[in-house]
Amino acid sequence: MSAPILRAEKVSKRFGGLKAVDEVDLELAEHEILGVIGPNGAGKTTLFSLIAGSIPPTSGTVRLRDRVISGLPAHRAVHAGIVRTHQIVRPFGNLTVLENVMVGAIYGKRGPVGARDRALDVMQFVGLAERASQLPAGLTLAGRKRLELARALATEPVVLLLDEVIAGVNPVEALQMADLIRKVREKRGLSCILIEHVMPAVMALSDRVIVLDAGKKIAEGKPQDVVRDPKVIAAYLGESAAKEVGKPA
């Protein structure tokens, strides 16, 4: 088995007396989609922030391939090849859709040269090419989530952290977004970590799932096994939800 592309080792983050992430271990294989689930306040988004360089860990180490990236500022983590989307989408309202994506391309691995062409390529991939000259305010929520994904892809990452890119959209749009995430893996060759509360999407997309509760990892494994774990049912799913999401597709 090849070495993981990303590894977090006993990563913790304290905010005063609160331990938001508590010695979490995580491995992501090449071209894998890893789901991260858990109740609100479990530490999922804080874990993303630690991996992506938005905040430094209190202790522990994050490695991208053999390089230690924990403690790097976000822009250096992006240049190393790791980028995240945000749960609350905030595009630059005074820039066009194309210009928003170009920001990702300009500040990504290759810099300004060719940024427009790279942005247009990504917009075609996510289905926003026809909206290039439009301002983000004219997009639906699903469109803005696609824009957030496009900005991240334009940096040319090897690891993509997706924070609730499906939550909040209608069922048809959710299926379309799930298909797009599969294409990110299959066509762009990326490895992905997915935070999501929409359990059917987690079950359909994830190769493996880890579960956080109160900052600790309480379960890890195949999605169909994790949703039957008594600790996960008690902390997050509840009996009725566990039975529903555990049904064969």
Side-chain angles (χ1 to χ4, degrees), residues 13-211:
K13 183 63 181 180
R14 286 186 180 274
F15 296 101
L18 172 67
K19 204 164 191 178
V21 175
D22 191 356
E23 295 193 343
V24 170
D25 293 321
L26 174 153
E27 289 190 353
L28 177 69
E30 292 268 7
H31 305 139
E32 182 180 29
I33 297 177
L34 175 66
V36 180
I37 64 172
N40 291 330
K44 304 182 298 297
T45 295
T46 301
L47 178 62
F48 262 26
S49 296
L50 296 173
I51 295 171
S54 304
I55 55 175
T58 303
S59 60
T61 304
V62 180
R63 288 183 170 84
L64 183 63
R65 296 196 172 102
D66 294 327
R67 179 180 179 184
V68 174
I69 62 166
S70 43
L72 290 182
H75 70 279
R76 291 186 60 191
V78 167
H79 291 165
I82 186 163
V83 71
R84 65 172 297 181
T85 67
H86 291 268
Q87 178 182 345
I88 299 173
V89 182
R90 293 192 180 99
F92 298 107
N94 60 334
L95 301 181
T96 66
V97 171
L98 172 58
E99 290 166 342
N100 267 272
V101 181
M102 285 180 64
V103 170
I106 289 167
Y107 290 98
K109 283 184 178 178
R110 287 197 275 171
V113 177
R116 180 183 175 87
D117 288 341
R118 296 197 301 277
L120 287 169
D121 174 68
V122 168
M123 290 173 61
Q124 185 70 41
F125 179 79
V126 304
L128 287 177
E130 295 181 358
R131 305 296 186 109
S133 61
Q134 185 175 331
L135 292 175
L139 298 176
T140 63
L141 175 60
R144 294 194 300 275
K145 285 179 179 265
R146 285 176 181 264
L147 174 56
E148 179 81 352
L149 177 59
R151 289 197 301 186
L153 290 174
T155 70
E156 300 186 304
V158 294
V159 172
L160 181 61
L161 309 179
L162 300 169
D163 195 349
E164 296 198 35
V165 293
I166 296 176
V169 303
N170 69 43
V172 171
E173 292 165 338
L175 289 172
Q176 292 170 342
M177 185 62 76
D179 185 58
L180 182 55
I181 293 169
R182 291 189 187 95
K183 286 172 59 181
V184 165
R185 192 235 307 257
E186 294 163 6
K187 304 295 186 183
R188 301 259 160 175
L190 301 190
S191 307
C192 302
I193 306 179
L194 175 75
I195 292 175
E196 192 55 69
H197 284 293
V198 180
M199 285 305 299
V202 174
M203 297 294 290
L205 288 170
S206 303
D207 300 302
R208 288 185 302 119
V209 172
I210 69 169
V211 188

